[in-house]
Amino acid sequence: MPTTNTQRVRKSSSSTPIFILHAHKIVVFCSAAIFIFLFAVNLFLVTDLEKQNIGANDPWQIQTPAIHKNNVNDSQVEFDQNDNNINNTATNPVIDYFRRAGVELDNDSIESLPTWSQIESIIGKKPVFRGLDTCETFRQTVPPLGRMLGSAGMFNSGTNLVTRLMKENCVIPERFNKYAPDGSKEDYGIRWQCPWGKHTPANFKNNHTASKNEEIIKDHCLPIVTVRNPFDWMVSMCNIPYTARWPHHRICPHLVEMSSNGKKVPVGVKVKLAEQWLNFDSLADLWNEFYAQYYRDFEYPYLIVRFEDLTFRQYETTKTICECAGGVVKPQNMFKYIIKSAKQGPGHGKVSERTGMVEAWIKYGQPKQVKGGFSDEDYDAAIELLSHEFMESMGYKYPPPAPIIEAPRIL
């Protein structure tokens, strides 16, 4: 029988080569092989990163034991202290500091910044602390899973700055191991304040509890007490007094006034702390007494840290604070510098007037004005009223007096 056209078509179709009929299987097989290869490469890379201990969940490298020191080694300050040419951007230590912090400076800022020698002439060659001798007691008496740090200090002293530095860069390793990776900063041992309140005088520790801190064991919190040069601090208090009340709008800081009988008398200050009004002889007396209640009266571990060190030596200062409580700080190449103003939210004055890192270096890295910009009466009163012992122990200097101008000689 003759072959029809339909039969020819069917015969031709049935004779299609096998490799064409199974081409889809080959494509599926190759795709699977490529997927397996890419998965293996990705797995190798992730494993390699974990071996280097730089995973996102453990930037603190908590496998490395914390080293507890009572003194900051001068070698921790990585600045070349002999290089003070602010215009030499290739080697200038101040500019290198900002580069490590991720800040690119414009020419105006570079011209305005102080040299490192100028900064050291104001704040000294290394960070200053008070209470380092109590760190060991804290670590020995508080179980690791109970250890916490919280800020304390007077208004305008750097409590927000130290809190942000600690929250970004410090953990208690035992707490981190328990709560990571989904724990909060508080879970890792870094609190906004100690349970009695960050602006609460230390003598109120046992009879005052800040809101939402009722379940916290007070003795388990190491207070990080921030202090600031009192001449700068008093000016800031005049600008933003918070709950402090005293007549200062025309004269700052208005430490003394003339009485009816012609004698100088201190200008009293009242301030609301721990939900009650407290009275002090003067603004200088408030500064003296608040900190004396820690270094003189406090029967528990504490650490007093300078605002100036938190500003100019963020890494070295944070590391010492963190290790005091048995914590671990991020390595320097992963350290989170606080660049913008640490004061966030309402209640801290105008946003435009808050001071970020660059502005703070320019503002506080300059020599003090004659008499701190105070009137003769306030300058003399400050020297008389401020605690000389505490000033000296924290490395603070008095502003220079007015130069003595000799009268021309008549020949």
Side-chain angles (χ1 to χ4, degrees):
M1 179 183 297
T3 303
T4 64
N5 290 337
T6 301
Q7 289 175 325
R8 288 195 188 97
V9 171
R10 289 176 179 173
K11 183 177 181 180
S12 174
S13 174
S14 62
S15 63
T16 301
I18 294 177
F19 76 89
I20 294 178
L21 293 175
H22 297 283
H24 70 286
K25 296 180 179 180
I26 296 173
V27 171
V28 171
F29 176 81
C30 291
S31 299
I34 292 172
F35 175 80
I36 293 171
F37 173 76
L38 293 176
F39 177 80
V41 170
N42 182 66
L43 181 63
F44 171 79
L45 291 175
V46 171
T47 303
D48 189 54
L49 287 176
E50 291 176 348
K51 288 179 180 179
Q52 297 179 48
N53 194 30
I54 57 175
N57 290 334
D58 187 15
W60 290 272
Q61 299 184 356
I62 59 174
Q63 292 87 346
T64 303
I67 301 174
H68 305 300
K69 297 180 180 179
N70 286 337
N71 294 298
V72 176
N73 192 323
D74 290 339
S75 65
Q76 291 177 332
V77 181
E78 297 186 351
F79 300 134
D80 180 356
Q81 299 173 1
N82 295 319
D83 185 357
N84 296 304
N85 181 6
I86 194 69
N87 293 313
N88 186 356
T89 58
T91 59
N92 179 266
V94 173
I95 295 175
D96 286 345
Y97 183 98
F98 282 94
R99 284 177 177 164
R100 287 201 299 272
V103 177
E104 288 297 328
L105 300 168
D106 57 34
N107 291 332
D108 290 341
S109 296
I110 292 174
E111 291 294 331
S112 301
L113 282 166
T115 65
W116 186 244
S117 290
Q118 288 175 326
I119 293 170
E120 282 191 331
S121 69
I122 297 170
I123 68 172
K125 293 185 177 296
K126 63 181 181 180
V128 177
F129 302 90
R130 189 154 180 170
L132 278 173
D133 56 332
T134 70
C135 297
E136 184 67 25
T137 300
F138 180 80
R139 296 192 299 268
Q140 290 181 351
T141 57
V142 180
L145 283 175
R147 294 173 187 164
M148 298 171 287
L149 300 93
S151 69
M154 201 58 253
F155 308 125
N156 295 305
S157 67
T159 55
N160 291 294
L161 178 57
V162 75
T163 298
R164 292 198 56 198
L165 282 168
M166 300 305 293
K167 282 182 175 285
E168 293 288 352
N169 298 291
C170 176
V171 296
I172 302 299
E174 293 82 1
R175 296 180 67 110
F176 183 84
N177 282 331
K178 179 177 180 178
Y179 295 107
D182 300 322
S184 65
K185 303 295 185 181
E186 287 76 13
D187 289 333
Y188 301 156
I190 313 301
R191 302 190 62 79
W192 184 256
Q193 61 184 351
C194 278
W196 55 95
K198 66 177 181 176
H199 299 311
T200 301
N203 289 353
F204 285 76
K205 172 181 179 285
N206 294 323
N207 53 25
H208 180 268
T209 303
S211 176
K212 300 180 181 179
N213 285 263
E214 292 80 8
E215 303 301 321
I216 306 300
I217 300 175
K218 292 180 178 180
D219 289 352
H220 286 185
C221 187
L222 178 71
I224 308 304
V225 188
T226 53
V227 66
R228 186 175 177 185
N229 185 303
F231 286 85
D232 293 331
W233 174 77
M234 285 189 277
V235 172
S236 290
M237 287 296 291
C238 288
N239 293 330
I240 308 177
Y242 293 96
T243 64
R245 301 289 182 266
W246 83 105
H248 65 275
H249 299 292
R250 292 187 300 170
I251 304 174
C252 175
H254 200 189
L255 299 177
V256 293
E257 63 185 0
M258 300 300 294
S259 66
S260 57
N261 59 5
K263 293 184 178 180
K264 293 180 181 178
V265 295
V267 176
V269 174
K270 69 175 183 178
V271 56
K272 192 173 186 180
L273 301 170
E275 287 81 51
Q276 59 184 291
W277 288 100
L278 305 177
N279 294 303
F280 297 88
D281 292 340
S282 66
L283 195 61
D285 181 49
L286 170 59
W287 188 84
N288 289 342
E289 185 61 21
F290 186 92
Y291 295 103
Q293 288 192 17
Y294 277 101
Y295 70 79
R296 182 192 64 203
D297 303 335
F298 207 57
E299 298 178 350
Y300 308 90
Y302 69 94
L303 187 63
I304 299 178
V305 55
R306 301 189 306 181
F307 165 82
E308 293 78 12
D309 291 321
L310 294 167
T311 299
F312 293 107
R313 299 180 174 114
Q314 290 194 7
Y315 173 74
E316 292 83 358
T317 307
T318 301
K319 186 173 186 292
T320 299
I321 297 170
C322 186
E323 292 180 350
C324 173
V328 176
V329 75
K330 288 179 182 176
Q332 191 165 11
N333 64 337
M334 300 181 70
F335 188 82
K336 173 70 173 178
Y337 292 83
I338 305 304
I339 298 171
K340 298 181 180 180
S341 173
K343 292 183 176 182
Q344 303 292 324
H348 300 293
K350 297 179 180 178
V351 174
S352 60
E353 296 177 355
R354 298 177 189 176
T355 306
M357 180 189 284
V358 176
E359 294 81 8
W361 277 56
I362 294 173
K363 183 176 181 180
Y364 302 119
Q366 306 300 327
K368 290 287 183 288
Q369 298 181 52
V370 171
K371 297 188 176 183
F374 292 4
S375 67
D376 292 346
E377 293 78 12
D378 275 342
Y379 178 71
D380 293 341
I383 292 178
E384 177 185 351
L385 299 175
L386 289 169
S387 169
H388 290 218
E389 186 275 333
F390 187 51
M391 287 274 292
E392 183 178 355
S393 71
M394 299 309 298
Y396 287 136
K397 302 175 182 179
Y398 294 94
I404 299 175
I405 302 176
E406 295 184 1
R409 294 182 180 181
I410 301 176
L411 300 177

